[in-house]
Amino acid sequence: MNLDIEFDRVSIRYGDVEAVKDMSFRLDGGKIYGLLGRNGAGKTSLLSVLASFREPSSGTVKVGGEQPFENAKIMREVSFLYDIDYKDESDKVKAAIETVAGYRPRFDTEYALRLARNFNLPLDKPLKELSKGMQSAFNVTIGLASRSPVTILDEVYLGMDAPTREIFYRELLEDQERHPRTFILSTHLVSEMDYLFEEVIIIHKGRFVLQDDYESLTSRGVSITGPAQKVDEFTPGLKVLNVQQLGSTKSAIVYGELSEESKHAARRAGLELGPISLQDLFIHITGEEQGT
Amino acid sequence: MKQPTSAASRIMMEMFWHQGSWAIGYLVIVFLLNLALGITGSSSNIGQDDFFSIIYRSTKGFMLVIGIISSFGFLSFYVRHGFTRRDFFKGAALAALLLSIAFPLVVGPVSLLLSAMNFSDTGNSPVLQAFEHNWFLALASFGIQIFVYYLMGWMIGSGFYRHDWIRGLGFIAIAIVLVGFMDALWQFELASLWDRWMPAFTLDVPLYASLAGSAVIMVLGLVLIRLLTRKVTIKLR
């Protein structure tokens, strides 16, 4: 079951503050999306609307062509995992898994228990006694084993150590292979998680910035390095995201595909062309000192 | 794929089970306290009162508190797991109703049993005397009142969950007025709870008017709770 998601001119206001401004984009079902934005960009607000935790102040959200808010049919198919506070949760891990299994129509309990073992989660320990990283591993376990057609993982790795995060990424990819659904991963760890994303959405200060598939996005970013004068001669007309200069050598990060002709011209001028990472692109797109 | 059972009835059963276990703990504690104070010959009211009278009064506080707790804890939990606010409202209201029926059904026989075993003097129970030793009426009044107290707790909790603390206080004021009115309908209870904070009044009304008045308060409470929670934003915590 693949559910397409559509945000149409969605705004979310908290009193006088507009956290999300007039955002429109569409996510086709069955892919892993990376939602990138700096702190306060509006990621969690946007995701809470999708999970029916709140209504948008204006605009509409549709999941599988239907409004999700208070729609039982859609709400049970959308899982939203975030940094959940378990300080009062005395249920043991195994009991908590079995409880959720009763709520989510596609939940795979065996898979959940296997994941819990992989994450070294103690099944007989109350959730409130787990460490931060273990609680995050529990959230990931629930998120993956629910097999919800729309699964939102909002910074779910908090407190996880590097090996545990690696298990999370591997399990995510493997289970997506077996049971394709829509994952939306909101993260700050761009460089570590970028290989998971099929498509990337970048938002900044409550506004939609861009949506593109990972390959095209990174292939559209090019770093041009060489003598400052040559770089300056080459870049007019291109969308320059960032420029750095060290002595007489300048490096410009350009967003937009270069034609074969331009690439030849650059090389003839002694300029070096290189790829840029999603993280670089993200930093430059959402950085305060953007180029022009 | 598993077929989902009725969401509201699932919530009802789970909440009844959960709150029922709290209720059993509470009853055991009150019983032991009653026993201890009775044995030590305490001169306090608790020591002198019978088990039924103590339960009749203190369960209102218990229901108020679990109503407040349940309003936000359970709501966040169920919406997070894909249930609608509408199903939560139905399920939680039915669970509270079940609990309000279960309490008298347990407390009545236990009181009689304790009386028979000479642990408690239910024959001289002030509450039972007020109902002219009509057990059915006493237990029905008990069930109705604790249900209203639960609703008031739920309404206050929902008011604080949805709004800032100033408007939250407003819901406490509404609850005090509604509870005061209900206690007045059941005549003798008001003085014991509220006379320190508000002028006591009693309404000399026939039984059917007490029942009808209580029903109006219940409906009012339920409507207010539904309006507060119908579109409430679930807090991320």
Side-chain angles (χ1 to χ4, degrees), chain B residues 18-192:
Chain B
H18 215 92
Q19 294 172 336
S21 65
W22 296 345
I24 290 169
Y26 151 77
L27 284 174
V28 168
I29 288 169
V30 173
F31 171 69
L32 292 176
L33 209 63
N34 180 230
L35 204 63
L37 290 171
I39 290 167
T40 56
S42 163
S43 60
S44 72
N45 284 340
I46 293 176
Q48 289 170 349
D49 279 353
D50 65 298
F51 179 72
F52 181 63
S53 296
I54 294 167
I55 288 289
Y56 192 96
R57 292 202 183 93
S58 60
T59 305
K60 294 176 181 178
F62 171 77
M63 292 293 269
L64 184 78
V65 169
I66 66 166
I68 293 171
I69 294 171
S70 304
S71 59
F72 36 90
F74 283 109
L75 174 67
S76 299
F77 174 83
Y78 281 111
V79 174
R80 192 168 80 225
H81 290 301
F83 291 86
T84 62
R85 292 155 185 78
R86 185 178 52 247
D87 284 333
F88 173 74
F89 174 75
K90 284 188 209 162
L94 289 171
L97 189 64
L98 273 186
L99 197 61
S100 306
I101 293 169
F103 251 110
L105 290 180
V106 171
V107 168
V110 169
S111 298
L112 284 174
L113 190 70
L114 291 176
S115 191
M117 293 164 70
N118 283 330
F119 277 117
S120 178
D121 187 9
T122 306
N124 286 321
S125 164
V127 171
L128 210 52
Q129 281 171 6
F131 285 100
E132 294 165 348
H133 288 269
N134 183 336
W135 266 103
F136 178 76
L137 199 57
L139 290 176
S141 137
F142 176 50
I144 289 168
Q145 292 186 69
I146 61 173
F147 182 60
V148 168
Y149 269 83
Y150 183 99
L151 294 183
M152 293 303 110
W154 187 4
M155 182 184 75
I156 292 168
S158 304
F160 276 98
Y161 188 78
R162 170 150 184 182
H163 297 295
D164 51 36
W165 67 273
I166 295 176
R167 277 183 282 185
L169 289 177
F171 286 96
I172 294 182
I174 294 172
I176 288 175
V177 171
L178 290 178
V179 158
F181 188 62
M182 183 194 67
D183 280 343
L185 284 170
W186 295 99
Q187 294 187 10
F188 63 94
E189 268 300 299
L190 179 76
S192 66

Side-chain angles (χ1 to χ4, degrees), chain A residues 6-48:
Chain A
E6 205 170 341
F7 287 86
D8 184 21
R9 309 194 69 173
V10 169
S11 294
I12 300 167
R13 282 181 286 276
Y14 301 97
D16 296 335
V17 180
E18 201 170 19
V20 171
K21 299 163 194 162
D22 208 24
M23 241 187 243
S24 299
F25 58 91
R26 183 189 158 83
L27 308 177
D28 292 329
K31 290 183 182 177
I32 303 178
Y33 293 89
L35 178 65
L36 311 181
R38 296 177 63 178
N39 292 330
K43 301 187 295 292
T44 301
S45 296
L46 196 67
L47 297 175
S48 5

